[in-house]
Amino acid sequence: MPNVLLVDDDEDTRTLMLESLKRRGVSVATVASGQECLDYVRDHEVDVVITDLQMPGLSGVELCAQLRERHPNILALLLTGLGTYDSAIEAVRSGAYDYLTKPIKTDALIVALERAFEHQSVAREVKRLRQAVDVATPIPSLVGTSAVIRDMSTLIRRVADTDATVLITGESGTGKELVARALHDLSPTRRSEPFVAINCGAMPPNLLESELFGHVRGAFTDAKTSRSGLFLQAQGGTIFLDEIGEMPLDMQVKLLRVLQQRTVRPVGGDDEVPFQARVITATNRDLETEVDEQRFREDLFYRINVVAITVPPLRARGGDVVTLAQHLVQKIATRSNKRAPAISPDAARKLIAYEWPGNVRELENSIERAMALCGAGEILPEHLPTKIINYQPERIELTTALATEMITLDEMERRYVRQVLASVRGNKTHAARVLGIDRRSLYRRLETPAATPPAMPTT
């Protein structure tokens, strides 16, 4: 059953229309002002708003305009006693779906609601079909066809047009900002608005608050004029807080309050200023471990981790390495206005075999070097960095260890756990996921002292 919200400052009118609509089986709630309506739809599922035209505070026309801007999926029906052509035009321009004059007849209102419900049903089906097509379409900025990239692209498309806060995790150099930009660019309501990014670890703590929240004139020595912070500069769009794990604890407290209240207070100011921007954060740290070790606030972690997107390391993307390398060759050649060389099969095998601890950033550096050395010919193995040419995968053969020393099963397990932990660059959350255990079990295995092998019985 679609949900209807009735907005009218007259209590008798609200009561009368509420009873009439409920008798017709409509699910309806009521509020007394435009601001109450905006507060209500922020926290409740609403399909259609029926609003009076003339109300104290926000008028019906102003309310329709704000609903269209903030909640485009909600349809508005405007009611007025001024049955004039001008007011009808104003209502439609403000974003009202339909326009009815008072006194309102219940039958006419029901017909208008049915048309609105049918319009929404068709719009949702079109959106569903469009999303089904989009999911199968690669995201241009995310080069690759591996399963992990396809899965990540599907998740990005599903959450791009929501308001949910997103936490992007992944090793340094994997392209976390590309994911944040894709979330912004794929949102129909945000793509034309600002995308504002800041590296929280690259700014001194005493300047970070002013940069994020702004300041008023005279707030500190150099504050000769007032300045709006990045949260307000991102109004209507997206603010991307990179390296959120580097943020000092005292700033974490202030950020938590901002995310909870959806308002910012400039440094030195007294007034709270509301903002409308999607918040996306990123880190290469294991925040769950940071929480356990009290370097990151647990309440802030849950606030930013509504949707989690993990960007896979390059070594986990298989043949994407060559696809990415070819993409980078074309990109660098275009930038240099030169012909793009081919990558030889032997060089491609070297690229696939290497583990890429620096991820895409290291790959781009290596390709740029190779293009500088290969001249007009194709890229050969000898054009690659020496560490890639000479790379040999490290493999620990447990059978070899057993052949050279007698160890207990517990010690063998400890060694394997440490091997997995090393392979994921110390990320305990990822290691626990690979091992199929929870993080507490992982900690217990790491803390258990090595056991002494039992003495062999004598004969």
Side-chain angles (χ1 to χ4, degrees), residues 104-123:
I104 304 300
K105 294 182 179 180
T106 304
D107 289 342
L109 182 56
I110 292 297
V111 170
L113 285 173
E114 287 175 346
R115 284 201 303 266
F117 297 156
E118 184 177 358
H119 175 87
Q120 283 189 320
S121 178
V122 172

Side-chain angles (χ1 to χ4, degrees), residues 238-313:
T238 302
I239 181 168
F240 175 51
L241 306 178
D242 199 5
E243 301 300 348
I244 188 74
E246 309 289 337
M247 183 175 284
L249 282 169
D250 60 335
M251 269 302 299
Q252 292 179 29
V253 177
K254 295 173 182 177
L255 177 61
L256 176 63
R257 185 179 185 281
V258 166
L259 298 182
Q260 288 173 333
Q261 303 296 327
R262 304 296 295 182
T263 61
V264 295
R265 178 184 293 174
V267 176
D270 298 321
D271 298 328
E272 299 281 347
V273 184
F275 72 92
Q276 289 290 333
R278 186 185 199 166
V279 179
I280 299 177
T281 62
T283 182
N284 59 9
R285 292 192 179 192
D286 179 1
L287 286 190
E288 290 187 73
T289 299
E290 297 293 300
V291 169
D292 288 343
E293 297 177 1
Q294 298 185 348
R295 290 192 296 266
F296 199 86
R297 290 184 62 93
E298 185 176 24
D299 44 9
L300 178 58
F301 171 71
Y302 288 117
R303 176 66 63 174
I304 64 175
N305 192 34
V306 177
V307 176
I309 297 178
T310 301
V311 186

Side-chain angles (χ1 to χ4, degrees), residues 1-6 21 25-29 40-41 44-50 73-75 113 116-117 120 124:
M1 174 68 67
N3 298 303
V4 175
L5 180 64
L6 174 62
L21 291 173
V26 179
S27 174
V28 59
Y40 185 92
V41 299
H44 298 80
E45 188 76 21
V46 175
D47 298 292
V48 177
V49 168
I50 303 172
N73 294 328
I74 298 177
L75 298 184
L113 285 173
F117 297 156
Q120 283 189 320
R124 285 172 181 152

Side-chain angles (χ1 to χ4, degrees), residues 28-94:
V28 59
T30 65
V31 293
S33 70
Q35 187 56 54
E36 288 182 34
C37 171
L38 295 176
D39 293 340
Y40 185 92
V41 299
R42 187 178 58 199
D43 302 320
H44 298 80
E45 188 76 21
V46 175
D47 298 292
V48 177
V49 168
I50 303 172
T51 177
D52 193 18
L53 174 63
Q54 294 182 320
M55 297 183 294
L58 281 178
S59 70
V61 170
E62 293 169 331
L63 176 59
C64 288
Q66 293 208 27
L67 286 172
R68 181 175 63 176
E69 179 182 349
R70 301 184 189 182
H71 307 278
N73 294 328
I74 298 177
L75 298 184
L77 301 182
L78 197 64
L79 311 180
T80 179
L82 305 174
T84 66
Y85 179 78
D86 289 342
S87 60
I89 293 296
E90 188 180 17
V92 172
R93 285 178 176 171
S94 70

Side-chain angles (χ1 to χ4, degrees), residues 177-443:
E177 184 166 345
L178 284 177
V179 173
R181 286 189 176 275
L183 286 165
H184 175 80
D185 293 339
L186 291 171
S187 170
T189 57
R190 295 189 187 87
R191 62 173 61 139
S192 59
E193 303 298 334
F195 176 90
V196 179
I198 181 173
N199 187 324
C200 298
M203 185 158 294
N206 59 328
L207 295 180
L208 184 58
E209 182 179 3
S210 172
E211 191 71 16
L212 290 175
F213 310 143
H215 60 258
V216 299
R217 181 180 179 183
F220 45 85
T221 304
D222 294 328
K224 295 181 173 58
T225 60
S226 297
R227 180 179 180 274
S228 61
L230 298 184
F231 272 90
L232 295 182
Q233 292 176 29
Q235 198 75 279
T238 302
I239 181 168
F240 175 51
L241 306 178
D242 199 5
E243 301 300 348
I244 188 74
E246 309 289 337
M247 183 175 284
L249 282 169
D250 60 335
M251 269 302 299
Q252 292 179 29
V253 177
K254 295 173 182 177
L255 177 61
L256 176 63
R257 185 179 185 281
V258 166
L259 298 182
Q260 288 173 333
Q261 303 296 327
R262 304 296 295 182
T263 61
V264 295
R265 178 184 293 174
V267 176
D270 298 321
D271 298 328
E272 299 281 347
V273 184
F275 72 92
Q276 289 290 333
R278 186 185 199 166
V279 179
I280 299 177
T281 62
T283 182
N284 59 9
R285 292 192 179 192
D286 179 1
L287 286 190
E288 290 187 73
T289 299
E290 297 293 300
V291 169
D292 288 343
E293 297 177 1
Q294 298 185 348
R295 290 192 296 266
F296 199 86
R297 290 184 62 93
E298 185 176 24
D299 44 9
L300 178 58
F301 171 71
Y302 288 117
R303 176 66 63 174
I304 64 175
N305 192 34
V306 177
V307 176
I309 297 178
T310 301
V311 186
L314 192 50
R315 62 183 174 278
R317 295 174 56 179
D320 279 358
V321 174
V322 177
T323 305
L324 263 170
Q326 292 171 333
H327 170 78
L328 291 169
V329 165
Q330 188 61 55
K331 172 185 169 184
I332 295 168
T334 301
R335 188 174 65 206
S336 306
N337 197 25
K338 295 181 179 178
R339 185 183 65 84
I343 300 175
S344 72
D346 288 342
R349 280 190 283 271
K350 289 289 184 182
L351 294 176
I352 292 174
Y354 187 60
E355 281 209 347
W356 300 107
N359 292 294
V360 179
R361 192 176 295 132
E362 183 183 8
L363 175 62
E364 182 168 11
N365 178 275
S366 300
I367 292 299
E368 193 160 9
R369 176 188 189 277
M371 289 179 66
L373 295 177
C374 74
E378 65 179 352
I379 295 176
L380 302 173
E382 55 263 34
H383 299 138
L384 299 173
T386 305
K387 60 183 176 182
I388 297 177
I389 299 172
N390 298 331
Y391 177 74
Q392 293 293 330
E394 293 182 6
R395 301 181 184 277
I396 297 178
E397 299 288 345
L398 293 179
T399 53
T400 302
L402 287 171
T404 57
E405 60 176 314
M406 301 297 290
I407 60 175
T408 65
L409 285 174
D410 287 341
E411 175 61 14
M412 184 183 295
E413 180 184 75
R414 276 169 42 82
R415 293 187 185 185
Y416 180 65
V417 167
R418 293 190 178 280
Q419 177 185 342
V420 170
L421 193 60
S423 71
V424 296
R425 305 290 192 273
N427 188 317
K428 294 184 177 65
T429 300
H430 191 184
R433 193 179 300 122
V434 171
L435 293 166
I437 59 178
D438 58 40
R439 294 170 67 252
R440 294 185 183 277
S441 298
L442 174 64
Y443 281 126

